[in-house]
């Protein structure tokens, strides 16, 4: 029998837990205000157990990142935000609008609402009176203590619904539940709250709120509060009931007058709230007719406002998280936490997962790319503009292996495929992972799914227009930036020209055989290189290209090493040795790129040696697989490269050489070598490291 209750817990949708129409009407009216007040909405939700349950489920849903350590309803509502609160209100109203109405059910809900709210108010009073540190946690526990009854009520027979749920003796109710489900409403509610990751003290307080007095005396403070609050709420007009007084004394040593005052204040507050919502508690004359009018009023509110607002739940077309907000709204509207949007690419040939959403932990779904010409449930759904489910397709032997993989990726038994189209234009497919029973219920209400898909299409169109606008603005800003860059380049070239002229004058004053002439020439070449780099700033990055020239690699190496001897090598006490092949072929490539490659490798070796070492540079001609290359080998006498770094040698990683190093040097070097059609390799050991670069031979 217990398995029946566990299955019920797995299947239950909090979105279908009923609320009184009186409460929903007030909430919808508050949502329509020009300036929506957070406190007003949170107060109204905090007076209804079903709505509070929706809030807790939403906060603990994977699409909201699973809230933690939220032990009060107020904190939970702040975590979700105003938009989500409005969404919960609208969703609850729509569900109630489509649910079956009966006078008997409304009477049950009114009794349940009054009992839950009174218990919550008494629990708050007891928490304050007995110095329990988390007063709002006590209120929430009292509000939700009987939530299990809402789960069981639709499944129970008429005799259960006729029971006096506010009566003092609860044994008849608990026994009736145990007989039919193998579990009573206290156990079921506790399991549900555990599933939503509420604190264990809250779950236990709900689990033991009907426990015998002798058993509860040694329990946690909160469990005793909720147990007594439930007892004081039950048949609370009998103020002199000895059982209530005995429990108050044994649990908290409270006098009868204090208990009566606390109960009276809580009941007065509940009655005031009921009056403000036009809830006629009790069975006064004409109450049934008033309830029916309130149900009609709710229907009008839903028709006039809620269906329009429902399509906008949580969806913001001008935000980067559009598709994640679609996932969140699916969870709120339909209770589906496993869903994914696959968008059509610009060519309209492929469906693939859109990155800006919360993707399931599935490599398959993350890498999904579906050819629109292939035959599977998703392509049939979009091409035929029909809502399809994998369960029906499987029964018709019409599912593909891909369909089965998608269901497993979503961690569900199957899925519903909802085409997102507008005016026959295809945009995306919304995949909703679900179980068979949930799919059957959803497919029975396809009109609502279609309406929701239409709104998604509107928001995707709006999102695309927004992205285009951003790109246009970005293009305009880029043009402004390039114009400014050209101006800066022009201004910078002037002082560079002056410096170059002074170098030429200085060179003329020196003897032509002076060794300084070579150093001046190297400086002049570097100034020219700076000038070329600055000139390239005038162009867009995509237009950047390199100029191939015939290079004497030996000469270039000698020039650079002369500069390093007086600076980098001298600072670190490093000796350099050049073994340059006199018959070395010339290299046809970009001179600046080769300089950057050599510079990066030299700096890498210097950092590996630290001090008092040697760098040996060797050049030579080599043939690899019938193709001629010019080889540059750079060897250092450092301690070698550790194995863990060798595994990711050319990947951009955090440098092990300290904060002054970016960890990008070898990654950039490899990219530059690839760019000119060369190759790079590395050998390392305890005696040092050798880098070998092959440059394509050219004339």
């Amino acid at each position: 029998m217990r398995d029946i209750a566990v299955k019920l817990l797995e299947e239950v949708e909090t979105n279908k837990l009923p609320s009184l129409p009186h409460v929903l009407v007030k909430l919808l009216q508050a949502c329509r205000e020009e300036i929506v007040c957070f406190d007003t909405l949170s107060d109204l939700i905090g007076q209804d157990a079903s709505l509070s349950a929706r809030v807790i489920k939403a906060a603990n849903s994977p699409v909201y990142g699973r809230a933690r350590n939220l032990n009060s309803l107020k904190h939970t509502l702040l975590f979700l935000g105003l938009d989500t609160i409005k969404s919960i209100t609208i969703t609850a109203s729509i569900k109630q609008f489509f649910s079956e109405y009966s006078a008997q059910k409304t009477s049950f809900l009114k009794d349940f609402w009054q009992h839950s709210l009174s218990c919550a108010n008494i629990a708050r009073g007891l928490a304050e009176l007995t110095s329990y540190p988390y007063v709002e946690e006590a209120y929430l526990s009292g509000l939700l203590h009987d939530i299990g009854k809402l789960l069981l009520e639709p499944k129970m027979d008429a005799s259960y619904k006729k029971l006096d749920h506010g009566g003092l003796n609860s044994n008849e109710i608990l026994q009736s539940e145990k007989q039919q489900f193998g579990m009573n409403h206290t156990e079921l509610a506790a399991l549900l709250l555990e599933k939503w990751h509420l604190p264990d003290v809250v779950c236990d307080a709900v689990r033991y709120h009907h426990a015998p007095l002798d058993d509860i005396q040694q329990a946690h403070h909160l469990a005793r509060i909720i147990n007594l609050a439930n007892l004081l709420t039950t048949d609370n007009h009998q103020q002199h009931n000895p059982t209530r007084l005995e429990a108050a004394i044994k649990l908290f040593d409270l006098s009868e007058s204090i208990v009566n005052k606390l109960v009276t204040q809580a009941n007065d507050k509940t009655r005031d709230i009921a009056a403000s919502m036009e809830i006629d508690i009790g069975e006064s004359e004409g109450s049934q007719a008033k309830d029916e009018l309130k149900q009609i009023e709710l229907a009008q509110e839903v028709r006039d406002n809620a269906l329009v607002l429902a399509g906008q739940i949580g969806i913001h077309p001008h935000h980067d998280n559009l598709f994640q907000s679609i996932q969140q709204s699916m969870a709120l509207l339909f209770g589906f936490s496993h869903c994914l949007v696959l968008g059509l690419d610009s060519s309209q040939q492929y469906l693939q997962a859109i990155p800006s959403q919360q993707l399931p932990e599935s490599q398959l779904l993350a890498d999904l790319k579906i050819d629109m010409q292939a035959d599977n449930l998703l392509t049939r759904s979009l091409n035929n503009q029909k809502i399809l489910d994998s369960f029906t397709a499987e029964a018709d032997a019409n599912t593909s292996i891909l369909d089965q993989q998608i269901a497993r990726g979503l961690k569900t038994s199957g899925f519903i495929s909802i085409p997102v189209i507008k005016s026959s234009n295809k945009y995306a497919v919304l995949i909703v992972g679900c179980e068979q029973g949930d799919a059957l219920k959803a497919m029975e209400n396809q009109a609502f799914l279609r309406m929701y898909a239409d709104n998604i299409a509107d928001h995707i169109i709006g999102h695309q227009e927004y992205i285009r606008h951003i790109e246009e603005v970005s293009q305009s800003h880029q043009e402004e930036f390039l114009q400014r860059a050209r101006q800066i380049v022009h201004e910078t070239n002037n002082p560079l020209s002056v410096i170059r002229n002074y170098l030429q004058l200085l060179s003329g004053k020196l003897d032509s055989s002076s060794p300084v002439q070579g150093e001046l020439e190297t400086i002049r070449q570097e100034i020219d290189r700076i000038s070329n780099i600055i000139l390239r700033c005038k162009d867009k990055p995509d237009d950047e290209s390199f100029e191939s020239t015939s290079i004497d690699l030996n000469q270039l190496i000698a020039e650079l090493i002369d500069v390093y001897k007086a600076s980098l090598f001298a600072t670190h006490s490093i000796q350099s040795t050049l073994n340059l092949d006199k018959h070395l072929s010339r290299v046809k490539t970009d001179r600046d790129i080769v300089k950057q490659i050599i510079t990066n490798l030299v700096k890498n070796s210097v950092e590996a040696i630290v001090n008092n070492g040697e760098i040996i540079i060797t050049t030579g001609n080599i043939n690899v697989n019938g193709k001629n290359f010019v080889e540059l080998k750079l060897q250092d006498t450092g301690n070698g490269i550790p194995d863990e770094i060798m595994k990711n040698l050319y990947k951009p990683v955090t440098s092990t050489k300290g904060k002054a190093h970016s960890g990008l040097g070898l990654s950039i070097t490899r990219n530059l070598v690839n760019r000119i059609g060369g190759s790079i390799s590395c050998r390392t050991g305890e005696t040092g490291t050798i880098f070998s670069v092959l440059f394509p031979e050219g004339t």
Side-chain angles (χ1 to χ4, degrees):
M1 296 290 281
R2 186 180 178 87
D3 292 341
I4 301 174
V6 172
K7 186 177 180 181
L8 174 65
L9 187 65
E10 292 174 350
E11 293 178 351
V12 70
E13 294 180 44
T14 339
N15 289 331
K16 292 190 175 180
L17 291 180
S19 295
L20 278 173
H22 311 67
V23 180
L24 296 173
V25 167
K26 280 286 184 183
L27 271 169
L28 284 175
Q29 290 172 347
C31 286
R32 284 211 325 271
E33 294 293 332
E34 188 172 344
I35 300 177
V36 180
C37 179
F38 175 88
D39 289 337
T40 300
L41 294 184
S42 61
D43 287 346
L44 289 168
I45 289 173
Q47 293 159 5
D48 185 87
S50 175
L51 290 168
S52 297
R54 292 171 189 269
V55 166
I56 293 167
K57 184 188 178 187
N60 286 281
S61 170
V63 297
Y64 284 94
R66 293 194 186 280
R68 288 290 186 270
N69 303 320
L70 296 176
N71 58 0
S72 81
L73 190 61
K74 193 86 167 182
H75 291 162
T76 305
L77 290 166
L78 285 169
F79 168 78
L80 291 174
L82 190 58
D83 286 342
T84 304
I85 297 173
K86 291 167 65 177
S87 302
I88 290 170
T89 298
I90 296 162
T91 304
S93 303
I94 292 171
K95 296 292 183 182
Q96 190 73 359
F97 171 69
F98 284 114
S99 66
E100 184 180 348
Y101 171 79
S102 71
Q104 184 185 33
K105 184 165 187 172
T106 301
S107 178
F108 173 85
L109 289 177
K110 284 165 66 175
D111 289 342
F112 176 87
W113 178 86
Q114 181 184 5
H115 177 79
S116 299
L117 185 56
S118 295
C119 184
N121 286 328
I122 291 174
R124 177 186 277 156
L126 284 172
E128 293 171 346
L129 196 61
T130 61
S131 300
Y132 183 67
Y134 308 110
V135 174
E136 292 308 310
E137 184 179 74
Y139 177 87
L140 181 61
S141 302
L143 190 67
L144 298 178
H145 79 289
D146 262 353
I147 196 72
K149 288 184 179 180
L150 285 188
L151 304 183
L152 292 175
E153 186 270 338
K155 304 286 184 179
M156 299 300 278
D157 55 26
S159 61
Y160 174 85
K161 296 176 183 180
K162 290 179 181 178
L163 291 174
D164 181 8
H165 292 267
L168 177 63
N169 188 351
S170 59
N171 289 335
E172 190 176 357
I173 296 172
L174 299 176
Q175 289 173 5
S176 177
E177 294 168 348
K178 197 85 169 180
Q179 287 172 0
Q180 292 196 51
F181 292 98
M183 182 185 295
N184 61 46
H185 70 272
T186 64
E187 297 170 296
L188 190 62
L191 289 174
L192 184 68
L193 299 184
E194 286 173 352
K195 185 178 179 181
W196 294 339
H197 306 286
L198 262 71
D200 53 0
V201 291
V202 173
C203 299
D204 279 350
V206 170
R207 178 179 281 112
Y208 300 120
H209 75 265
H210 278 303
L213 179 58
D214 292 340
D215 295 342
I216 201 71
Q217 278 185 263
Q218 301 302 316
H220 185 271
H221 193 165
L222 182 61
R224 286 182 284 141
I225 287 175
I226 301 306
N227 187 281
L228 180 58
N230 176 66
L231 192 60
L232 295 176
T233 308
T234 305
D235 198 21
N236 51 42
H237 61 277
Q238 299 181 12
Q239 293 186 351
H240 301 288
N241 189 290
T243 306
R244 289 179 6 151
L245 182 57
E246 179 186 2
I249 293 173
K250 284 188 175 182
L251 294 178
F252 296 111
D253 197 23
L254 299 177
S255 67
E256 183 177 8
S257 60
I258 291 294
V259 169
N260 289 340
K261 184 176 181 180
L262 188 150
V263 171
T264 299
Q265 289 175 343
N267 290 341
D268 288 345
K269 187 169 186 177
T270 300
R271 277 192 290 269
D272 290 342
I273 293 171
S276 69
M277 294 186 182
E278 301 178 16
I279 300 174
D280 192 358
I281 53 180
E283 294 298 329
S284 62
E285 185 178 351
S287 62
Q288 183 174 331
K290 293 178 183 177
D291 294 339
E292 290 175 357
L293 288 174
K294 191 57 68 175
Q295 184 71 16
I296 294 171
E297 188 177 350
L298 174 64
Q300 291 171 341
E301 288 284 345
V302 168
R303 288 194 181 103
D304 293 344
N305 302 285
L307 288 177
V308 175
L309 291 169
Q312 302 171 352
I313 288 178
I315 303 178
H316 305 283
H318 295 171
H319 292 179
D320 291 336
N321 64 347
L322 166 66
F323 297 98
Q324 187 174 343
S325 68
I326 290 173
Q327 292 175 309
Q328 294 174 349
S329 65
M330 281 298 298
L332 289 172
L333 270 174
F334 303 100
F336 293 130
S337 298
H338 306 275
C339 65
L340 183 67
V341 182
L342 298 185
L344 271 173
D345 69 343
S346 57
S347 68
Q348 300 278 295
Q349 293 181 354
Y350 295 98
L351 276 171
Q352 55 193 59
I354 297 170
S356 56
Q357 60 184 313
Q358 188 169 10
L359 295 174
E361 295 180 2
S362 166
Q363 188 64 37
L364 168 78
L365 297 182
D367 298 339
L368 209 55
K369 187 174 183 179
I370 302 173
D371 190 333
M372 284 298 295
Q373 300 302 316
D375 182 31
N376 54 69
L377 196 69
L378 303 181
T379 55
R380 288 199 299 274
S381 172
L382 190 55
N383 287 328
N384 299 325
Q385 302 184 11
K386 289 184 178 180
I387 299 175
L388 302 175
D389 72 276
S390 62
F391 302 100
T392 303
E394 185 178 1
D396 296 337
N398 201 17
T399 59
S400 66
I401 291 178
L402 178 62
D403 297 332
Q404 298 168 30
Q405 288 183 300
I406 289 172
R408 284 195 293 273
L410 290 167
K411 307 294 189 295
T412 53
S413 300
F415 62 88
I416 301 170
S417 177
I418 305 171
V420 180
I421 53 179
K422 196 73 174 180
S423 302
S424 297
N425 293 321
K426 304 167 188 174
Y427 293 98
V429 171
L430 177 61
I431 309 174
V432 180
C434 58
E435 304 305 315
Q436 188 167 7
D438 298 324
L440 180 62
K441 294 171 186 174
M443 294 298 284
E444 289 174 352
N445 195 14
Q446 288 194 38
F448 195 27
L449 291 175
R450 289 187 184 281
M451 181 187 66
Y452 180 72
D454 285 344
N455 277 280
I456 291 179
D458 288 336
H459 285 98
I460 289 177
I461 293 169
H463 182 68
Q464 291 175 344
E465 292 175 350
Y466 172 70
I467 295 299
R468 279 195 293 270
H469 171 70
I470 292 297
E471 289 175 349
E472 290 172 0
V473 171
S474 176
Q475 179 68 23
S476 174
H477 288 171
Q478 187 181 52
E479 291 297 334
E480 292 176 7
F481 171 80
L482 289 173
Q483 183 63 33
R484 178 59 180 158
R486 293 185 184 104
Q487 182 180 350
I488 292 173
V489 167
H490 178 73
E491 294 172 355
T492 307
N493 272 328
N494 290 333
L496 285 176
S497 298
V498 171
I499 295 173
R500 200 178 191 286
N501 291 335
Y502 272 111
L503 286 174
Q504 191 170 352
L505 290 173
L506 181 60
S507 176
K509 293 179 180 180
L510 296 172
D511 189 272
S512 59
S513 61
S514 171
V516 178
Q517 291 285 6
E519 295 180 5
L520 290 177
E521 177 61 25
T522 300
I523 294 172
R524 187 160 46 245
Q525 289 177 4
E526 289 304 306
I527 289 174
D528 289 342
R529 189 161 76 95
I530 292 171
S531 180
N532 288 331
I533 292 172
I534 293 173
L535 284 172
R536 285 204 298 271
C537 290
K538 295 191 298 181
D539 303 320
K540 297 180 182 179
D542 291 341
D543 296 335
E544 186 178 287
S545 59
F546 64 90
E547 181 183 356
S548 293
T549 57
S550 182
I551 298 172
D552 183 338
L553 187 61
N554 286 345
Q555 181 183 345
L556 180 60
I557 291 171
E559 291 172 357
L560 289 173
I561 294 303
D562 281 345
V563 174
Y564 293 147
K565 281 181 179 178
S567 55
L568 192 63
F569 292 170
T571 305
H572 294 84
S573 301
I574 290 174
Q575 300 296 318
S576 62
T577 301
L578 300 182
N579 299 320
L580 307 181
D581 186 346
K582 295 180 180 179
H583 304 289
L584 190 70
S585 300
R586 295 180 74 86
V587 175
K588 188 175 182 180
T589 187
D590 185 278
R591 183 182 180 87
D592 292 337
I593 288 181
V594 175
K595 277 189 175 183
Q596 186 68 62
I597 291 169
I598 297 171
T599 300
N600 285 2
L601 291 177
V602 169
K603 286 184 176 179
N604 188 74
S605 294
V606 170
E607 291 163 356
I609 296 171
V610 182
N611 284 301
N612 300 316
E614 183 181 11
I615 290 177
I616 304 168
I617 298 178
T618 305
T619 61
N621 297 313
I622 187 172
N623 184 283
V624 179
N625 294 329
K627 189 174 182 179
N628 294 326
F629 292 89
V630 173
E631 182 181 32
L632 162 68
K633 285 200 298 187
L634 191 148
Q635 181 178 358
D636 65 58
T637 57
N639 296 324
I641 302 173
D643 291 342
E644 60 271 17
I645 296 179
M646 277 293 290
K647 292 176 183 177
N648 300 287
L649 189 61
Y650 302 112
K651 293 182 179 179
V653 296
T654 302
S655 174
T656 59
K657 300 169 186 173
K659 293 182 179 178
H661 305 281
S662 67
L664 294 173
L666 290 178
S667 173
I668 293 171
T669 302
R670 194 270 307 271
N671 292 338
L672 291 173
V673 170
N674 290 342
R675 182 176 179 184
I676 60 176
S679 65
I680 184 170
S681 60
C682 175
R683 287 180 293 161
T684 189
E686 294 181 358
T687 58
T689 300
I690 301 175
F691 279 95
S692 171
V693 181
L694 300 183
F695 298 99
E697 185 183 282
T699 56

